[in-house]
Amino acid sequence: MIVLVGTGFAWRGVDTLVSNIERISDLGLGGQRDGAVDILLVGVDSRTDAKGDPLTEAERAMLHAGDEIGTNTDTIVLVRVPNDGSSATAISIPRDAYVDIPGLGKGKINSAYGITKQTAQDDMLADGATPEVAEEKSTQRGRQALISSVAGLTGITVDHYAEVSLLGFVLLTDAVGGVDVCLRRPVDEPMSGAYFPAGRQKLDGPQALSFVRQRHDLERGDLDRIVRQQVFMAQLVHQVISTDTLSNPTRLRELSDAVGRTVVLDEGWDLLAFLNQLQDLSAGEVTFETIPVADLNGTTSTGESVVRVEPDDVQDYVAGLVGEEAGSTDPGTTTAPAPAADPGTVQVDVFNATSVSGLAGSVSQELTALGYLPGEVGNYSDGTAWQSQVLAASETDRGAAAVAAALGGIPVVADPALAPGTVSVVLASDYAGPGSGSEDVIDFGDTSTSATPVPPAPPIAAAEDGPTCVN
Protein backbone atom coordinates (compact mmCIF):
# COMPACT_ATOMS: atom_id res chain seq x y z
CA MET A 1 0.00 0.00 0.00
CA ILE A 2 2.95 2.33 0.56
CA VAL A 3 3.77 1.75 -3.12
CA LEU A 4 0.25 2.74 -4.13
CA VAL A 5 0.14 5.96 -2.11
CA GLY A 6 3.76 6.87 -1.47
CA THR A 7 5.39 6.73 -4.90
CA GLY A 8 4.84 8.44 -8.24
CA PHE A 9 5.07 6.63 -11.55
CA ALA A 10 3.76 6.40 -15.08
CA TRP A 11 1.79 3.18 -14.99
CA ARG A 12 0.36 1.47 -18.06
CA GLY A 13 -2.76 -0.42 -17.14
CA VAL A 14 -3.17 1.39 -13.82
CA ASP A 15 -6.79 2.17 -14.73
CA THR A 16 -7.51 -1.56 -14.84
CA LEU A 17 -5.84 -2.05 -11.48
CA VAL A 18 -7.77 0.81 -9.90
CA SER A 19 -11.08 -0.43 -11.29
CA ASN A 20 -10.56 -3.76 -9.47
CA ILE A 21 -10.34 -2.16 -6.03
CA GLU A 22 -13.22 -2.62 -3.60
CA ARG A 23 -14.67 0.76 -2.56
CA ILE A 24 -16.43 1.89 0.61
CA SER A 25 -18.33 5.08 1.43
CA ASP A 26 -19.56 7.21 4.35
CA LEU A 27 -16.44 7.06 6.52
CA GLY A 28 -16.51 10.73 7.55
CA LEU A 29 -13.22 11.57 5.86
CA GLY A 30 -11.67 14.95 5.18
CA GLY A 31 -13.33 18.26 5.90
CA GLN A 32 -10.20 20.32 6.66
CA ARG A 33 -7.76 21.99 4.27
CA ASP A 34 -4.32 21.74 5.84
CA GLY A 35 -1.95 21.73 2.87
CA ALA A 36 -1.59 17.95 2.57
CA VAL A 37 -3.38 14.71 1.81
CA ASP A 38 -3.51 12.48 4.90
CA ILE A 39 -4.02 8.77 4.28
CA LEU A 40 -4.71 6.11 6.90
CA LEU A 41 -3.18 2.78 5.87
CA VAL A 42 -4.54 -0.16 7.85
CA GLY A 43 -3.37 -3.76 7.91
CA VAL A 44 -6.30 -5.94 8.98
CA ASP A 45 -5.95 -9.35 10.64
CA SER A 46 -8.97 -10.74 8.80
CA ARG A 47 -10.06 -14.24 7.79
CA THR A 48 -11.91 -12.85 4.76
CA ASP A 49 -10.84 -11.05 1.62
CA ALA A 50 -11.80 -7.52 0.53
CA LYS A 51 -15.13 -8.75 -0.84
CA GLY A 52 -16.04 -10.56 2.38
CA ASP A 53 -15.37 -14.06 1.06
CA PRO A 54 -13.70 -16.41 3.58
CA LEU A 55 -10.09 -17.46 3.03
CA THR A 56 -9.39 -21.08 2.16
CA GLU A 57 -7.90 -23.46 4.72
CA ALA A 58 -4.62 -23.41 2.79
CA GLU A 59 -4.54 -19.60 2.87
CA ARG A 60 -5.24 -19.48 6.62
CA ALA A 61 -2.47 -22.00 7.23
CA MET A 62 -0.05 -19.98 5.08
CA LEU A 63 -0.88 -16.85 7.07
CA HIS A 64 -0.65 -18.59 10.48
CA ALA A 65 -4.26 -17.41 10.92
CA GLY A 66 -6.39 -19.72 13.01
CA ASP A 67 -10.16 -19.92 13.28
CA GLU A 68 -10.45 -17.08 15.80
CA ILE A 69 -13.23 -14.67 14.85
CA GLY A 70 -12.34 -11.02 15.16
CA THR A 71 -10.86 -8.02 13.38
CA ASN A 72 -7.68 -6.43 14.71
CA THR A 73 -5.77 -3.67 12.96
CA ASP A 74 -2.23 -4.66 13.84
CA THR A 75 -0.62 -2.25 11.37
CA ILE A 76 -1.67 1.41 11.50
CA VAL A 77 0.22 3.99 9.43
CA LEU A 78 -0.72 7.62 8.79
CA VAL A 79 0.80 8.83 5.51
CA ARG A 80 1.18 12.57 5.00
CA VAL A 81 1.67 13.80 1.41
CA PRO A 82 1.88 17.58 0.82
CA ASN A 83 -0.37 18.90 -1.92
CA ASP A 84 2.54 19.40 -4.33
CA GLY A 85 3.41 15.69 -4.10
CA SER A 86 7.05 16.46 -3.32
CA SER A 87 7.47 14.06 -0.38
CA ALA A 88 5.69 11.53 1.80
CA THR A 89 5.99 10.83 5.53
CA ALA A 90 4.61 7.55 6.87
CA ILE A 91 3.98 7.69 10.64
CA SER A 92 3.54 4.34 12.42
CA ILE A 93 1.28 3.95 15.46
CA PRO A 94 1.93 1.02 17.86
CA ARG A 95 -0.95 -1.44 17.87
CA ASP A 96 -1.15 -1.45 21.69
CA ALA A 97 -1.20 2.36 22.02
CA TYR A 98 -3.74 3.15 24.77
CA VAL A 99 -6.08 5.82 23.39
CA ASP A 100 -9.60 7.24 23.53
CA ILE A 101 -11.96 5.15 21.38
CA PRO A 102 -15.25 6.84 20.41
CA GLY A 103 -18.16 5.33 22.30
CA LEU A 104 -15.96 2.93 24.29
CA GLY A 105 -13.64 5.00 26.45
CA LYS A 106 -9.97 3.98 26.71
CA GLY A 107 -8.52 0.96 24.95
CA LYS A 108 -5.80 -0.35 22.66
CA ILE A 109 -6.01 1.36 19.29
CA ASN A 110 -5.89 -1.93 17.41
CA SER A 111 -9.17 -2.94 19.09
CA ALA A 112 -11.13 0.16 18.00
CA TYR A 113 -12.19 -1.42 14.71
CA GLY A 114 -12.97 -4.90 16.02
CA ILE A 115 -14.78 -4.09 19.28
CA THR A 116 -16.87 -1.36 17.66
CA LYS A 117 -17.77 -3.68 14.79
CA GLN A 118 -18.73 -6.58 17.07
CA THR A 119 -20.80 -4.37 19.39
CA ALA A 120 -22.64 -2.75 16.49
CA GLN A 121 -23.19 -6.10 14.77
CA ASP A 122 -24.69 -7.65 17.91
CA ASP A 123 -27.02 -4.66 18.35
CA MET A 124 -28.15 -4.74 14.72
CA LEU A 125 -28.84 -8.47 14.77
CA ALA A 126 -30.80 -8.07 18.00
CA ASP A 127 -32.86 -5.36 16.28
CA GLY A 128 -33.74 -7.74 13.44
CA ALA A 129 -31.21 -6.75 10.77
CA THR A 130 -30.17 -9.46 8.33
CA PRO A 131 -26.66 -10.94 8.82
CA GLU A 132 -25.55 -9.36 5.51
CA VAL A 133 -26.73 -5.88 6.46
CA ALA A 134 -25.35 -6.20 9.99
CA GLU A 135 -21.95 -7.27 8.63
CA GLU A 136 -21.75 -4.39 6.16
CA LYS A 137 -22.96 -1.66 8.51
CA SER A 138 -20.97 -2.84 11.53
CA THR A 139 -17.77 -3.04 9.46
CA GLN A 140 -18.37 0.57 8.41
CA ARG A 141 -18.82 1.54 12.06
CA GLY A 142 -15.55 -0.20 12.98
CA ARG A 143 -13.65 1.67 10.31
CA GLN A 144 -15.19 4.96 11.42
CA ALA A 145 -14.13 4.30 15.03
CA LEU A 146 -10.54 3.62 13.99
CA ILE A 147 -10.39 6.75 11.83
CA SER A 148 -11.72 8.86 14.71
CA SER A 149 -9.27 7.25 17.17
CA VAL A 150 -6.29 8.03 14.93
CA ALA A 151 -7.50 11.59 14.37
CA GLY A 152 -7.94 12.12 18.11
CA LEU A 153 -4.47 10.81 18.88
CA THR A 154 -2.52 12.61 16.13
CA GLY A 155 -4.56 15.79 15.66
CA ILE A 156 -4.64 15.08 11.90
CA THR A 157 -7.87 14.87 9.90
CA VAL A 158 -7.85 11.69 7.79
CA ASP A 159 -8.62 12.43 4.12
CA HIS A 160 -8.45 8.92 2.66
CA TYR A 161 -8.60 5.35 3.90
CA ALA A 162 -6.77 2.28 2.56
CA GLU A 163 -7.09 -1.21 4.02
CA VAL A 164 -5.16 -4.36 3.13
CA SER A 165 -5.55 -7.85 4.60
CA LEU A 166 -2.88 -10.32 5.64
CA LEU A 167 -3.43 -12.19 2.39
CA GLY A 168 -2.97 -8.95 0.49
CA PHE A 169 0.41 -8.40 2.09
CA VAL A 170 1.54 -11.83 0.90
CA LEU A 171 0.18 -11.47 -2.63
CA LEU A 172 1.54 -7.95 -3.10
CA THR A 173 5.01 -9.04 -1.96
CA ASP A 174 5.03 -11.95 -4.38
CA ALA A 175 3.75 -9.69 -7.16
CA VAL A 176 6.93 -7.58 -6.99
CA GLY A 177 9.16 -10.67 -6.94
CA GLY A 178 9.94 -10.67 -3.21
CA VAL A 179 11.65 -8.05 -1.06
CA ASP A 180 15.23 -7.92 0.30
CA VAL A 181 15.73 -7.62 4.07
CA CYS A 182 18.73 -7.85 6.40
CA LEU A 183 18.89 -9.30 9.94
CA ARG A 184 21.66 -8.69 12.47
CA ARG A 185 21.22 -12.16 13.96
CA PRO A 186 19.36 -15.38 13.11
CA VAL A 187 15.69 -15.73 14.10
CA ASP A 188 13.85 -18.81 15.38
CA GLU A 189 10.43 -17.70 16.64
CA PRO A 190 7.50 -20.13 16.23
CA MET A 191 4.70 -17.73 17.27
CA SER A 192 5.04 -15.77 14.02
CA GLY A 193 6.65 -18.53 11.98
CA ALA A 194 9.83 -16.44 11.64
CA TYR A 195 12.82 -18.69 10.88
CA PHE A 196 15.61 -16.74 9.18
CA PRO A 197 19.42 -16.73 9.07
CA ALA A 198 21.42 -13.59 9.78
CA GLY A 199 22.37 -11.27 6.94
CA ARG A 200 20.78 -10.12 3.72
CA GLN A 201 18.10 -12.29 2.09
CA LYS A 202 15.07 -12.05 -0.22
CA LEU A 203 11.71 -12.97 1.30
CA ASP A 204 8.64 -14.21 -0.52
CA GLY A 205 5.13 -13.31 0.61
CA PRO A 206 4.60 -15.77 3.50
CA GLN A 207 8.16 -15.23 4.76
CA ALA A 208 7.73 -11.46 4.61
CA LEU A 209 4.52 -11.69 6.63
CA SER A 210 6.34 -13.63 9.37
CA PHE A 211 9.17 -11.08 9.25
CA VAL A 212 6.90 -8.08 9.86
CA ARG A 213 4.58 -9.81 12.36
CA GLN A 214 7.23 -11.00 14.82
CA ARG A 215 7.31 -9.18 18.17
CA HIS A 216 8.28 -11.94 20.61
CA ASP A 217 12.02 -12.32 21.27
CA LEU A 218 12.57 -8.70 20.17
CA GLU A 219 14.14 -6.33 22.69
CA ARG A 220 11.53 -3.59 22.32
CA GLY A 221 8.60 -5.79 21.36
CA ASP A 222 6.07 -3.93 19.24
CA LEU A 223 8.41 -0.99 18.59
CA ASP A 224 11.00 -3.30 17.06
CA ARG A 225 8.24 -4.90 15.03
CA ILE A 226 7.33 -1.46 13.70
CA VAL A 227 10.97 -0.97 12.68
CA ARG A 228 10.72 -4.29 10.81
CA GLN A 229 7.62 -3.06 9.02
CA GLN A 230 9.24 0.25 8.14
CA VAL A 231 12.45 -1.17 6.69
CA PHE A 232 10.41 -3.66 4.72
CA MET A 233 8.14 -0.95 3.27
CA ALA A 234 11.12 1.31 2.58
CA GLN A 235 12.86 -1.45 0.64
CA LEU A 236 9.65 -2.31 -1.19
CA VAL A 237 9.32 1.32 -2.34
CA HIS A 238 12.98 1.40 -3.34
CA GLN A 239 12.72 -1.82 -5.36
CA VAL A 240 9.58 -0.76 -7.20
CA ILE A 241 11.01 2.63 -8.14
CA SER A 242 14.45 1.35 -9.13
CA THR A 243 13.30 -1.68 -11.17
CA ASP A 244 10.91 -2.36 -14.03
CA THR A 245 8.21 -3.79 -11.78
CA LEU A 246 5.54 -1.42 -13.04
CA SER A 247 6.44 -1.83 -16.71
CA ASN A 248 6.45 -5.63 -16.53
CA PRO A 249 3.07 -6.92 -17.82
CA THR A 250 3.28 -10.11 -15.74
CA ARG A 251 4.12 -8.28 -12.52
CA LEU A 252 1.44 -5.67 -13.23
CA ARG A 253 -1.17 -8.38 -13.76
CA GLU A 254 -0.18 -10.04 -10.48
CA LEU A 255 -0.40 -6.68 -8.71
CA SER A 256 -3.83 -6.06 -10.20
CA ASP A 257 -5.11 -9.47 -9.08
CA ALA A 258 -3.68 -9.01 -5.59
CA VAL A 259 -5.10 -5.52 -5.19
CA GLY A 260 -8.53 -6.52 -6.48
CA ARG A 261 -8.91 -9.29 -3.95
CA THR A 262 -7.34 -7.78 -0.86
CA VAL A 263 -7.37 -3.96 -0.92
CA VAL A 264 -10.19 -1.62 0.13
CA LEU A 265 -10.19 2.17 -0.53
CA ASP A 266 -12.65 4.93 0.27
CA GLU A 267 -15.11 5.67 -2.52
CA GLY A 268 -14.29 9.36 -2.81
CA TRP A 269 -10.60 8.88 -3.59
CA ASP A 270 -9.66 9.66 -7.19
CA LEU A 271 -6.57 7.48 -7.13
CA LEU A 272 -5.56 8.15 -10.73
CA ALA A 273 -5.50 11.91 -10.14
CA PHE A 274 -3.58 11.39 -6.92
CA LEU A 275 -0.95 9.20 -8.59
CA ASN A 276 -0.56 11.78 -11.33
CA GLN A 277 0.14 14.34 -8.61
CA LEU A 278 3.08 12.20 -7.45
CA GLN A 279 4.95 11.98 -10.76
CA ASP A 280 8.07 13.72 -9.43
CA LEU A 281 8.28 11.87 -6.13
CA SER A 282 11.45 9.81 -5.75
CA ALA A 283 12.26 7.09 -3.25
CA GLY A 284 14.49 9.36 -1.19
CA GLU A 285 11.50 11.54 -0.37
CA VAL A 286 9.55 8.74 1.34
CA THR A 287 10.38 8.72 5.06
CA PHE A 288 9.12 6.42 7.82
CA GLU A 289 8.64 7.68 11.39
CA THR A 290 7.10 6.40 14.66
CA ILE A 291 5.09 8.39 17.19
CA PRO A 292 6.72 8.98 20.61
CA VAL A 293 5.91 6.50 23.38
CA ALA A 294 5.61 7.49 27.05
CA ASP A 295 5.78 3.93 28.41
CA LEU A 296 6.41 0.78 26.37
CA ASN A 297 5.46 -1.44 29.33
CA GLY A 298 2.43 0.39 30.67
CA THR A 299 -0.36 -1.41 32.52
CA THR A 300 -3.98 -0.56 33.25
CA SER A 301 -5.62 -0.79 36.66
CA THR A 302 -6.86 -4.23 35.62
CA GLY A 303 -3.32 -5.41 34.81
CA GLU A 304 -3.63 -5.26 31.02
CA SER A 305 -0.33 -4.60 29.23
CA VAL A 306 -0.48 -1.50 27.01
CA VAL A 307 1.74 1.07 25.31
CA ARG A 308 1.10 4.41 26.98
CA VAL A 309 1.14 7.49 24.75
CA GLU A 310 0.49 11.15 25.55
CA PRO A 311 -1.78 12.71 22.88
CA ASP A 312 -0.31 16.20 23.40
CA ASP A 313 3.21 14.86 22.81
CA VAL A 314 2.08 12.83 19.80
CA GLN A 315 0.33 15.81 18.24
CA ASP A 316 3.34 18.06 18.79
CA TYR A 317 5.57 15.42 17.22
CA VAL A 318 3.33 14.89 14.21
CA ALA A 319 2.92 18.65 13.74
CA GLY A 320 6.71 19.01 13.83
CA LEU A 321 7.10 16.41 11.09
CA VAL A 322 4.64 18.01 8.72
CA GLY A 323 4.43 21.62 9.89
CA GLU A 324 6.74 23.06 7.27
CA GLU A 325 4.44 22.16 4.43
CA ALA A 326 1.05 22.45 6.13
CA GLY A 327 0.58 26.17 5.57
CA SER A 328 1.50 26.34 1.91
CA THR A 329 1.40 24.45 -1.36
CA ASP A 330 4.06 26.61 -2.98
CA PRO A 331 7.65 26.91 -1.71
CA GLY A 332 8.32 30.22 -0.05
CA THR A 333 4.64 31.07 0.26
CA THR A 334 2.70 31.20 3.49
CA THR A 335 -1.05 31.19 3.86
CA ALA A 336 -2.65 32.89 6.83
CA PRO A 337 -5.16 30.70 8.64
CA ALA A 338 -8.81 31.63 8.25
CA PRO A 339 -10.14 33.68 11.15
CA ALA A 340 -11.98 31.63 13.75
CA ALA A 341 -15.75 31.96 13.97
CA ASP A 342 -17.20 33.97 16.85
CA PRO A 343 -19.31 31.49 18.90
CA GLY A 344 -21.76 34.28 19.67
CA THR A 345 -22.73 34.45 16.00
CA VAL A 346 -23.28 30.69 15.51
CA GLN A 347 -26.61 29.08 16.40
CA VAL A 348 -26.41 25.29 16.71
CA ASP A 349 -29.20 22.73 16.46
CA VAL A 350 -28.41 19.40 18.14
CA PHE A 351 -30.16 16.11 17.31
CA ASN A 352 -29.80 12.77 19.09
CA ALA A 353 -29.61 9.67 16.85
CA THR A 354 -28.75 7.31 19.73
CA SER A 355 -30.71 5.53 22.46
CA VAL A 356 -28.94 7.59 25.15
CA SER A 357 -31.60 9.72 26.81
CA GLY A 358 -30.80 13.44 27.11
CA LEU A 359 -27.62 13.34 25.01
CA ALA A 360 -28.67 16.19 22.69
CA GLY A 361 -29.53 18.41 25.66
CA SER A 362 -26.20 17.70 27.38
CA VAL A 363 -24.20 18.51 24.25
CA SER A 364 -26.24 21.65 23.60
CA GLN A 365 -25.50 22.82 27.15
CA GLU A 366 -21.76 22.22 26.58
CA LEU A 367 -21.86 24.34 23.42
CA THR A 368 -23.88 27.07 25.12
CA ALA A 369 -21.26 27.20 27.89
CA LEU A 370 -18.66 27.86 25.17
CA GLY A 371 -20.67 30.83 23.90
CA TYR A 372 -22.60 29.24 21.01
CA LEU A 373 -26.25 30.21 20.58
CA PRO A 374 -28.67 27.38 21.49
CA GLY A 375 -30.96 26.19 18.70
CA GLU A 376 -33.37 23.30 18.29
CA VAL A 377 -32.70 20.27 20.50
CA GLY A 378 -34.37 16.91 19.94
CA ASN A 379 -34.25 13.43 18.44
CA TYR A 380 -32.93 12.82 14.93
CA SER A 381 -35.85 11.95 12.64
CA ASP A 382 -34.21 11.63 9.21
CA GLY A 383 -33.50 7.89 9.26
CA THR A 384 -30.54 6.19 10.92
CA ALA A 385 -27.23 7.98 11.55
CA TRP A 386 -24.21 5.70 11.82
CA GLN A 387 -21.71 8.48 12.43
CA SER A 388 -21.71 11.75 14.35
CA GLN A 389 -21.30 14.82 12.13
CA VAL A 390 -21.76 18.56 11.87
CA LEU A 391 -24.00 19.57 8.98
CA ALA A 392 -23.70 22.86 7.13
CA ALA A 393 -24.39 24.22 3.65
CA SER A 394 -20.66 24.00 2.89
CA GLU A 395 -17.78 21.91 4.25
CA THR A 396 -15.79 25.15 4.54
CA ASP A 397 -18.35 26.87 6.80
CA ARG A 398 -16.27 28.47 9.59
CA GLY A 399 -19.00 28.13 12.18
CA ALA A 400 -19.41 24.43 11.46
CA ALA A 401 -15.64 23.89 11.62
CA ALA A 402 -15.50 25.62 15.00
CA VAL A 403 -18.37 23.50 16.37
CA ALA A 404 -16.77 20.31 15.03
CA ALA A 405 -13.49 21.17 16.77
CA ALA A 406 -15.32 21.95 20.03
CA LEU A 407 -16.96 18.52 19.93
CA GLY A 408 -13.71 16.61 19.59
CA GLY A 409 -13.05 16.82 15.84
CA ILE A 410 -16.13 15.12 14.40
CA PRO A 411 -16.43 15.58 10.61
CA VAL A 412 -18.16 18.47 8.84
CA VAL A 413 -20.52 17.27 6.08
CA ALA A 414 -22.13 19.47 3.42
CA ASP A 415 -25.94 19.38 3.35
CA PRO A 416 -27.34 21.40 0.40
CA ALA A 417 -30.74 21.47 2.10
CA LEU A 418 -29.42 23.74 4.86
CA ALA A 419 -29.42 27.51 4.54
CA PRO A 420 -25.99 29.23 4.58
CA GLY A 421 -24.88 29.90 8.14
CA THR A 422 -27.05 27.13 9.60
CA VAL A 423 -25.23 24.55 11.73
CA SER A 424 -26.74 21.24 12.86
CA VAL A 425 -25.11 18.53 14.95
CA VAL A 426 -26.17 14.89 14.59
CA LEU A 427 -25.01 12.63 17.44
CA ALA A 428 -24.56 8.93 16.64
CA SER A 429 -23.40 6.11 18.90
CA ASP A 430 -19.75 6.84 18.07
CA TYR A 431 -19.89 10.23 19.81
CA ALA A 432 -17.41 10.55 22.69
CA GLY A 433 -17.01 14.32 22.96
CA PRO A 434 -18.15 16.90 25.53
CA GLY A 435 -21.50 16.02 27.13
CA SER A 436 -21.31 12.34 26.18
CA GLY A 437 -20.14 10.97 29.53
CA SER A 438 -18.04 8.57 27.46
CA GLU A 439 -15.76 7.85 30.36
CA ASP A 440 -18.67 5.92 31.90
CA VAL A 441 -19.45 3.74 28.90
CA ILE A 442 -16.64 1.21 29.27
CA ASP A 443 -13.99 1.54 31.95
CA PHE A 444 -10.72 0.13 30.66
CA GLY A 445 -8.81 1.48 33.66
CA ASP A 446 -5.95 3.98 33.88
CA THR A 447 -2.39 3.29 32.87
CA SER A 448 0.61 3.53 35.13
CA THR A 449 2.39 6.88 35.05
CA SER A 450 5.85 6.13 36.46
CA ALA A 451 7.89 5.35 33.37
CA THR A 452 10.78 6.62 31.31
CA PRO A 453 9.67 7.92 27.89
CA VAL A 454 10.83 5.86 24.91
CA PRO A 455 12.37 8.08 22.21
CA PRO A 456 11.17 7.48 18.64
CA ALA A 457 13.37 5.33 16.43
CA PRO A 458 15.47 7.20 13.85
CA PRO A 459 13.57 7.90 10.62
CA ILE A 460 14.03 5.42 7.80
CA ALA A 461 14.31 6.61 4.19
CA ALA A 462 13.34 4.51 1.21
CA ALA A 463 16.41 5.39 -0.88
CA GLU A 464 19.08 3.66 1.17
CA ASP A 465 21.61 1.48 -0.64
CA GLY A 466 20.12 -1.89 0.17
CA PRO A 467 17.97 -2.87 3.14
CA THR A 468 18.77 -1.57 6.63
CA CYS A 469 19.90 -4.38 8.94
CA VAL A 470 17.62 -4.71 11.98
CA ASN A 471 16.98 -7.03 14.95
Side-chain angles (χ1 to χ4, degrees), residues 232-253:
F232 182 89
M233 290 186 290
Q235 184 62 18
L236 177 62
V237 170
H238 177 69
Q239 288 183 205
V240 170
I241 290 177
S242 60
T243 65
D244 62 352
T245 298
L246 300 174
S247 61
N248 183 315
T250 300
R251 294 294 187 205
L252 187 57
R253 185 169 56 253

Side-chain angles (χ1 to χ4, degrees), residues 255-273:
L255 276 173
S256 181
D257 292 343
V259 165
R261 189 178 176 202
T262 63
V263 172
V264 175
L265 300 180
D266 67 270
E267 190 173 57
W269 192 358
D270 187 344
L271 192 58
L272 291 175

Side-chain angles (χ1 to χ4, degrees), residues 267-297:
E267 190 173 57
W269 192 358
D270 187 344
L271 192 58
L272 291 175
F274 181 69
L275 292 174
N276 186 62
Q277 182 183 351
L278 303 179
Q279 289 296 316
D280 296 328
L281 182 62
S282 65
E285 292 155 340
V286 182
T287 306
F288 298 82
E289 305 270 358
T290 305
I291 64 169
V293 168
D295 187 0
L296 181 60
N297 300 306

